[in-house]
Every structure is written in C-alpha cells, then in structure tokens.
C-alpha cells in the first residue's frame, strides 16, 4: 500500500497584531497564540521567531510529522526524528532555497527505507505548498 497525502483544499486563518511595543507581534489562529519579533540588529528584541524562522519551522515541523505518520503506518522504527531547515533568501536573484537535513534516532535503517523516507519528506504538505505556484492577495480594510 503506497503512502499518499490526502488531497484537500486547506484554509487557515491567522491574525497578527502589532501593538505599541516595537515589532513584538501576537499571532493567533484557532485559539492558539505565539509571539513573533524581529532580531535586535533590525530593531526588535528577539523575543520570538522572525518571519523567516516561522517559514522554516513550518517546513521542519510538517516534514517531521509526515515522516512519523508514514513510519507508524509502515511500522518502521525511526526513533527520534530531527529536521533542520536552512533558508537562504537571495533577494537579488529572487530565489529562496530551503535545505532540509533529516536525521533519525534509529541509525539501522536500510537503503530502501532511506530512499522512500526521502520521497515522503518531500511530500509533506508544506513542502508541496512551497513548491506550488503561490499567490498573495493583499486587502486594506479600513
């Protein structure tokens, strides 16, 4: 049985609110809250993830979760799953490169499983979203 990511139209509503404290942003979605901020060299206090860290964390979390779902279905013991993401944004060439490094607590995986895990890692929904055509619509509501 092949592993397939369920096709669906996913919609997420996220709200970011920036008050009087410079760059510290409260981000809410579906009753949950996190804090975003800018690094100190950009005038922030570095108290939360910056926007690029949020992008990288979405990809790393989704990759790890997708691998765990696959491993559980196939009864493969991966042990701990670690996904590191490096985001390089070349503003001159307008090319962003995400590089994922994945490691597993179980070091005794065979070559067949490793090759399949590579395919699964690239099929996580956020990975697929980032490699799709992306449209950003901006509306100013007064």
């Amino acid at each position: 049985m092949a592993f397939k990511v369920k096709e669906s139209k996913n919609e997420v509503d996220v709200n970011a609110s920036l008050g009087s404290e410079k760059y510290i942003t409260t981000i809410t979605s579906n009753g949950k809250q996190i804090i975003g901020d800018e690094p100190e060299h950009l005038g922030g206090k570095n108290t939360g993830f910056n926007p690029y860290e949020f992008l990288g964390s979405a990809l790393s979390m989704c990759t790890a979760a997708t691998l765990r779902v696959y491993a559980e279905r196939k009864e493969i013991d991966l042990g701990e799953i670690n996904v590191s993401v490096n985001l390089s944004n070349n503003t001159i060439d307008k090319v962003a490169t995400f590089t994922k490094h994945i490691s597993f607590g179980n070091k005794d995986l065979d070559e067949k499983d490793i090759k399949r895990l590579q395919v699964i890692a690239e099929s996580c929904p956020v990975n697929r979203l980032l490699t799709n055509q992306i449209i950003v619509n901006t509306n100013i509501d007064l």
Side-chain angles (χ1 to χ4, degrees), residues 69-131:
V69 167
Y70 175 78
E72 286 175 353
R73 286 184 182 169
K74 296 297 184 177
E75 298 180 351
I76 301 170
D77 175 20
L78 298 178
E80 184 175 0
I81 301 169
N82 292 292
V83 181
S84 299
V85 172
N86 173 272
L87 168 55
S88 175
N89 185 25
N90 183 329
T91 57
I92 295 169
D93 295 333
K94 296 185 179 182
V95 174
T97 303
F98 292 86
T99 304
K100 296 192 285 187
H101 296 275
I102 303 168
S103 63
F104 305 105
N106 181 358
K107 305 296 183 198
D108 295 324
L109 298 168
D110 63 39
E111 192 63 31
K112 179 183 168 194
D113 284 337
I114 292 169
K115 286 181 181 179
R116 185 67 184 142
L117 291 166
Q118 174 91 28
V119 171
I120 297 302
E122 292 175 356
S123 73
C124 91
V126 171
N127 196 119
R128 292 174 46 203
L129 180 145
L130 290 170
T131 57

